[in-house]
């Protein structure tokens, strides 16, 4: 699968406030980690006022929970403190955010299916499209049933992809 920066990113880059929602299945592993990595980058670059960041899940079964303990531990070892509480995706997210970043194909297809308008559909993009390394992968894989290496891989992918996403949004 060829990776390309989606066109909508250019439109979001032109906005004073860029509102980004990261989405996975449970909102306890990948998307809260993506939110944490991006928040850290935005703060490091002094861009906090230009961004609104959040994350959500397509499966609501973990609503209210902190990220999975394994995800928190691996993230903390790299300097990220994940404090988000899981919440399900809601229809208002398609209005409230400019960019909705899906972690895998299933997340992407389901979000595109839920989007109420063509404009909302175009806000849905894939995290992997921003990842420069890892050419063998076509998504950010679900680490839930994996060991430590699965969580480390998620963080490697997110650190790579978030830098490129932010570079494309702050031109
Ligand atoms: P996430 O990982 O989508 O990266 O938060 C998962 C967390 C929980 C479940 C699946 C994936 N689950 O089935 O409960």
């Amino acid at each position: 699968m060829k990776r390309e920066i989606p066109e909508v990113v250019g439109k979001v880059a032109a906005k004073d406030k860029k509102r980004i929602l990261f989405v996975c299945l449970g909102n306890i592993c990948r998307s809260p980690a993506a939110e944490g990595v991006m928040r850290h980058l935005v703060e490091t670059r002094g861009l906090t006022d230009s961004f609104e960041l959040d994350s959500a899940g397509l499966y609501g079964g973990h609503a209210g929970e902190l990220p999975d303990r394994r995800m928190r531990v691996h993230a903390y070892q790299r300097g990220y403190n994940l404090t988000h509480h899981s919440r399900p995706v809601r229809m208002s997210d398609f209005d409230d955010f400019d960019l909705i970043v899906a972690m895998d194909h299933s997340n992407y297809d389901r979000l595109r299916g839920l989007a109420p308008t063509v404009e909302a559909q175009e806000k849905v993009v894939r995290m992997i499209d921003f990842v420069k390394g890892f050419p063998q992968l076509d998504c950010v894989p679900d680490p839930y049933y994996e060991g430590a290496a699965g969580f480390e891989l998620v963080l490697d992918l997110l650190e790579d992809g978030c830098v490129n996403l932010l570079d494309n949004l702050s031109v």
Side-chain angles (χ1 to χ4, degrees), residues 23-60:
V23 174
C24 61
L25 182 58
N27 191 216
I28 54 169
C29 296
R30 294 165 291 176
S31 61
E35 180 192 343
V37 169
M38 192 66 168
R39 195 176 297 287
H40 183 83
L41 272 174
V42 161
E43 283 170 8
T44 305
R45 295 192 189 181
L47 297 171
T48 307
D49 291 348
S50 306
F51 283 84
E52 187 184 312
L53 304 171
D54 197 3
S55 62
L58 285 154
Y59 165 64

Side-chain angles (χ1 to χ4, degrees), residues 75-101:
Y76 192 74
Q77 285 166 355
R78 298 191 188 202
Y80 309 110
N81 192 14
L82 306 185
T83 58
H84 175 80
H85 289 260
S86 177
R87 70 154 177 98
V89 167
R90 19 181 201 256
M91 288 308 287
S92 55
D93 288 330
F94 291 101
D95 280 329
D96 294 342
F97 292 91
D98 306 307
L99 207 56
I100 300 177
V101 186

Side-chain angles (χ1 to χ4, degrees), residues 1-2 19-20 22 26 39 46 56 61 63 65-66 79 89-90 105 115 143 151 153 157 165 168:
M1 194 192 80
K2 193 166 158 23
R19 306 169 302 168
I20 306 174
F22 296 96
R39 195 176 297 287
E65 294 177 18
L66 277 170
V89 167
R90 19 181 201 256
H105 299 293
F151 288 87
L153 174 62
L157 289 163
L165 171 58
N168 275 277

Side-chain angles (χ1 to χ4, degrees), residues 1 3 105 128 131-139 141 153 157:
M1 194 192 80
R3 299 178 193 167
H105 299 293
I128 198 72
V131 176
K132 288 187 174 176
F134 306 90
Q136 73 281 18
L137 295 181
D138 67 359
C139 72
L153 174 62
L157 289 163

